[in-house]
Amino acid sequence: TGARVGKGEGFAELEWGILSLQGNLDASQTLVVTTVHDDQVVDDIPPGQLTKHDVPVDVIVTPTRIIRVPNRAPKPSGVFWDLLSPQKLAQIKVLRQLKAETEKKLGEALPYGPDEVLPPTAKRNNRRRNANNRRKGNKVQP
């Protein structure tokens, strides 16, 4: 089926949905290729495990093989707003903009998905900004 198991946060699917919604990706024509270790390839994921937003792969590349996936599940297109939590939407600016544009074009509010608790985000490294401030003589907090 081309099903893949990731970390479960859905960010790859969101990127796919954003690009297809913007017209920058044709879901029917775009190949999805992944690289994994040979031991990560399985054939026992039951049919029907993919959700409507999951993006199946067309080609799997391992250190020893190239596998073209037969009978691949269909690929989604667009963003499934009914699956997107308000919390995730709040963290992704381009999604907020796309939702507002789509709602304006349709003249109606789009649904939200269920609430979720997001994992903590990584702390950003501000070295570049701190270096610029030091050159300008500004004080920088470590």
Side-chain angles (χ1 to χ4, degrees):
T1 62
R4 63 177 185 81
V5 179
K7 294 180 180 141
E9 296 300 323
F11 287 105
E13 287 79 7
L14 279 175
E15 291 169 351
W16 179 272
I18 290 166
L19 290 170
S20 63
L21 186 63
Q22 292 175 324
N24 295 318
L25 176 148
D26 179 347
S28 67
Q29 299 294 315
T30 304
L31 280 179
V32 178
V33 180
T34 191
T35 57
V36 297
H37 190 276
D38 288 286
D39 293 341
Q40 292 176 284
V41 178
V42 298
D43 59 5
D44 60 353
I45 296 177
Q49 287 296 111
L50 288 176
T51 62
K52 67 180 183 179
H53 73 281
D54 287 328
V55 180
V57 299
D58 297 291
V59 181
I60 303 167
V61 180
T62 76
T64 63
R65 308 183 279 169
I66 296 175
I67 304 164
R68 297 192 188 287
V69 177
N71 305 318
R72 179 193 41 77
K75 294 176 190 163
S77 186
V79 174
F80 294 95
W81 301 107
D82 60 323
L83 299 178
L84 186 61
S85 73
Q87 293 80 11
K88 195 170 279 184
L89 184 66
Q91 291 199 353
I92 305 173
K93 183 178 180 179
V94 68
L95 277 173
R96 292 192 310 273
Q97 292 170 333
L98 282 171
K99 187 169 193 224
E101 290 169 11
T102 304
E103 288 174 331
K104 184 176 180 181
K105 188 180 347 177
L106 295 174
E108 63 183 54
L110 293 169
Y112 285 98
D115 286 332
E116 69 177 316
V117 176
L118 297 176
T121 55
K123 189 173 182 180
R124 293 183 181 223
N125 183 340
N126 292 321
R127 284 186 190 165
R128 182 179 294 158
R129 186 174 62 197
N130 288 344
N132 288 338
N133 282 331
R134 282 189 194 99
R135 276 196 291 274
K136 294 176 185 174
N138 298 334
K139 292 185 179 181
V140 178
Q141 225 175 344

PDB file of all heavy atoms in Angstrom, residues 2 4 29 41 51 56 61 63 77-78 94-95 98 101 140:
ATOM      1  N   GLY A   2       2.123   1.150   0.363  1.00  0.00           N
ATOM      2  CA  GLY A   2       2.978   2.322   0.456  1.00  0.00           C
ATOM      3  C   GLY A   2       2.838   3.043   1.776  1.00  0.00           C
ATOM      4  O   GLY A   2       3.324   4.161   1.942  1.00  0.00           O
ATOM      5  N   ARG A   4       3.503   4.308   5.408  1.00  0.00           N
ATOM      6  CA  ARG A   4       4.738   4.538   6.144  1.00  0.00           C
ATOM      7  C   ARG A   4       4.369   4.948   7.549  1.00  0.00           C
ATOM      8  O   ARG A   4       3.332   5.551   7.791  1.00  0.00           O
ATOM      9  CB  ARG A   4       5.616   5.591   5.486  1.00  0.00           C
ATOM     10  CG  ARG A   4       4.999   6.940   5.427  1.00  0.00           C
ATOM     11  CD  ARG A   4       5.942   7.984   4.826  1.00  0.00           C
ATOM     12  NE  ARG A   4       5.285   9.265   4.924  1.00  0.00           N
ATOM     13  CZ  ARG A   4       5.265  10.008   6.021  1.00  0.00           C
ATOM     14  NH1 ARG A   4       5.904   9.628   7.090  1.00  0.00           N
ATOM     15  NH2 ARG A   4       4.599  11.135   6.047  1.00  0.00           N
ATOM     16  N   GLN A  29       0.580  13.157  -9.768  1.00  0.00           N
ATOM     17  CA  GLN A  29       1.783  13.059 -10.590  1.00  0.00           C
ATOM     18  C   GLN A  29       3.096  13.054  -9.798  1.00  0.00           C
ATOM     19  O   GLN A  29       4.136  12.702 -10.345  1.00  0.00           O
ATOM     20  CB  GLN A  29       1.837  14.232 -11.582  1.00  0.00           C
ATOM     21  CG  GLN A  29       0.680  14.265 -12.546  1.00  0.00           C
ATOM     22  CD  GLN A  29       0.697  13.084 -13.492  1.00  0.00           C
ATOM     23  OE1 GLN A  29       1.731  12.734 -14.033  1.00  0.00           O
ATOM     24  NE2 GLN A  29      -0.447  12.449 -13.674  1.00  0.00           N
ATOM     25  N   VAL A  41      11.622  -2.178   6.385  1.00  0.00           N
ATOM     26  CA  VAL A  41      10.613  -2.476   5.372  1.00  0.00           C
ATOM     27  C   VAL A  41       9.790  -3.667   5.856  1.00  0.00           C
ATOM     28  O   VAL A  41      10.339  -4.719   6.174  1.00  0.00           O
ATOM     29  CB  VAL A  41      11.253  -2.805   4.006  1.00  0.00           C
ATOM     30  CG1 VAL A  41      10.186  -3.155   2.973  1.00  0.00           C
ATOM     31  CG2 VAL A  41      12.105  -1.635   3.531  1.00  0.00           C
ATOM     32  N   THR A  51      -4.902   6.783   7.154  1.00  0.00           N
ATOM     33  CA  THR A  51      -6.014   7.706   7.313  1.00  0.00           C
ATOM     34  C   THR A  51      -6.100   8.557   6.045  1.00  0.00           C
ATOM     35  O   THR A  51      -5.205   8.513   5.197  1.00  0.00           O
ATOM     36  CB  THR A  51      -5.834   8.607   8.552  1.00  0.00           C
ATOM     37  OG1 THR A  51      -4.661   9.402   8.374  1.00  0.00           O
ATOM     38  CG2 THR A  51      -5.717   7.777   9.820  1.00  0.00           C
ATOM     39  N   PRO A  56       1.059   7.951   1.052  1.00  0.00           N
ATOM     40  CA  PRO A  56       1.803   6.713   0.817  1.00  0.00           C
ATOM     41  C   PRO A  56       3.008   6.954  -0.085  1.00  0.00           C
ATOM     42  O   PRO A  56       3.043   7.932  -0.837  1.00  0.00           O
ATOM     43  CB  PRO A  56       0.777   5.814   0.128  1.00  0.00           C
ATOM     44  CG  PRO A  56      -0.145   6.763  -0.549  1.00  0.00           C
ATOM     45  CD  PRO A  56      -0.195   7.994   0.318  1.00  0.00           C
ATOM     46  N   VAL A  61      13.801   3.168  -0.953  1.00  0.00           N
ATOM     47  CA  VAL A  61      15.210   2.907  -1.239  1.00  0.00           C
ATOM     48  C   VAL A  61      15.888   2.478   0.059  1.00  0.00           C
ATOM     49  O   VAL A  61      15.815   3.180   1.067  1.00  0.00           O
ATOM     50  CB  VAL A  61      15.899   4.159  -1.824  1.00  0.00           C
ATOM     51  CG1 VAL A  61      17.369   3.874  -2.107  1.00  0.00           C
ATOM     52  CG2 VAL A  61      15.189   4.634  -3.079  1.00  0.00           C
ATOM     53  N   PRO A  63      19.647   0.386   1.636  1.00  0.00           N
ATOM     54  CA  PRO A  63      21.049   0.220   1.217  1.00  0.00           C
ATOM     55  C   PRO A  63      21.249  -0.874   0.166  1.00  0.00           C
ATOM     56  O   PRO A  63      22.219  -0.851  -0.581  1.00  0.00           O
ATOM     57  CB  PRO A  63      21.771  -0.138   2.516  1.00  0.00           C
ATOM     58  CG  PRO A  63      20.946   0.505   3.585  1.00  0.00           C
ATOM     59  CD  PRO A  63      19.517   0.360   3.103  1.00  0.00           C
ATOM     60  N   SER A  77      -4.998  15.105  -1.349  1.00  0.00           N
ATOM     61  CA  SER A  77      -4.722  16.410  -1.914  1.00  0.00           C
ATOM     62  C   SER A  77      -5.369  17.459  -1.021  1.00  0.00           C
ATOM     63  O   SER A  77      -6.493  17.274  -0.557  1.00  0.00           O
ATOM     64  CB  SER A  77      -5.282  16.501  -3.334  1.00  0.00           C
ATOM     65  OG  SER A  77      -4.903  17.713  -3.936  1.00  0.00           O
ATOM     66  N   GLY A  78      -4.674  18.544  -0.754  1.00  0.00           N
ATOM     67  CA  GLY A  78      -5.215  19.622   0.065  1.00  0.00           C
ATOM     68  C   GLY A  78      -5.033  19.386   1.553  1.00  0.00           C
ATOM     69  O   GLY A  78      -4.418  18.413   1.977  1.00  0.00           O
ATOM     70  N   VAL A  94       1.720  29.807   7.782  1.00  0.00           N
ATOM     71  CA  VAL A  94       1.224  29.622   6.416  1.00  0.00           C
ATOM     72  C   VAL A  94      -0.132  28.926   6.418  1.00  0.00           C
ATOM     73  O   VAL A  94      -0.991  29.217   5.582  1.00  0.00           O
ATOM     74  CB  VAL A  94       2.257  28.876   5.526  1.00  0.00           C
ATOM     75  CG1 VAL A  94       2.437  27.434   5.958  1.00  0.00           C
ATOM     76  CG2 VAL A  94       1.861  28.940   4.059  1.00  0.00           C
ATOM     77  N   LEU A  95      -0.372  28.033   7.359  1.00  0.00           N
ATOM     78  CA  LEU A  95      -1.678  27.377   7.450  1.00  0.00           C
ATOM     79  C   LEU A  95      -2.768  28.355   7.867  1.00  0.00           C
ATOM     80  O   LEU A  95      -3.880  28.311   7.355  1.00  0.00           O
ATOM     81  CB  LEU A  95      -1.624  26.208   8.442  1.00  0.00           C
ATOM     82  CG  LEU A  95      -1.082  24.900   7.893  1.00  0.00           C
ATOM     83  CD1 LEU A  95      -0.926  23.878   9.009  1.00  0.00           C
ATOM     84  CD2 LEU A  95      -1.967  24.354   6.795  1.00  0.00           C
ATOM     85  N   LEU A  98      -3.524  30.370   4.771  1.00  0.00           N
ATOM     86  CA  LEU A  98      -4.287  29.589   3.797  1.00  0.00           C
ATOM     87  C   LEU A  98      -5.729  29.379   4.251  1.00  0.00           C
ATOM     88  O   LEU A  98      -6.659  29.443   3.442  1.00  0.00           O
ATOM     89  CB  LEU A  98      -3.625  28.227   3.560  1.00  0.00           C
ATOM     90  CG  LEU A  98      -2.411  28.217   2.644  1.00  0.00           C
ATOM     91  CD1 LEU A  98      -1.743  26.855   2.676  1.00  0.00           C
ATOM     92  CD2 LEU A  98      -2.813  28.577   1.226  1.00  0.00           C
ATOM     93  N   GLU A 101      -7.596  32.676   3.730  1.00  0.00           N
ATOM     94  CA  GLU A 101      -7.849  32.897   2.297  1.00  0.00           C
ATOM     95  C   GLU A 101      -8.965  31.988   1.789  1.00  0.00           C
ATOM     96  O   GLU A 101      -9.840  32.422   1.032  1.00  0.00           O
ATOM     97  CB  GLU A 101      -6.576  32.637   1.487  1.00  0.00           C
ATOM     98  CG  GLU A 101      -5.489  33.668   1.674  1.00  0.00           C
ATOM     99  CD  GLU A 101      -4.162  33.230   1.064  1.00  0.00           C
ATOM    100  OE1 GLU A 101      -4.124  32.219   0.316  1.00  0.00           O
ATOM    101  OE2 GLU A 101      -3.146  33.890   1.352  1.00  0.00           O
ATOM    102  N   VAL A 140      24.043  41.222  25.456  1.00  0.00           N
ATOM    103  CA  VAL A 140      23.358  39.989  25.061  1.00  0.00           C
ATOM    104  C   VAL A 140      23.284  39.076  26.270  1.00  0.00           C
ATOM    105  O   VAL A 140      24.270  38.873  26.966  1.00  0.00           O
ATOM    106  CB  VAL A 140      24.108  39.283  23.910  1.00  0.00           C
ATOM    107  CG1 VAL A 140      23.423  37.976  23.550  1.00  0.00           C
ATOM    108  CG2 VAL A 140      24.207  40.180  22.716  1.00  0.00           C
TER     109      VAL A 140
END
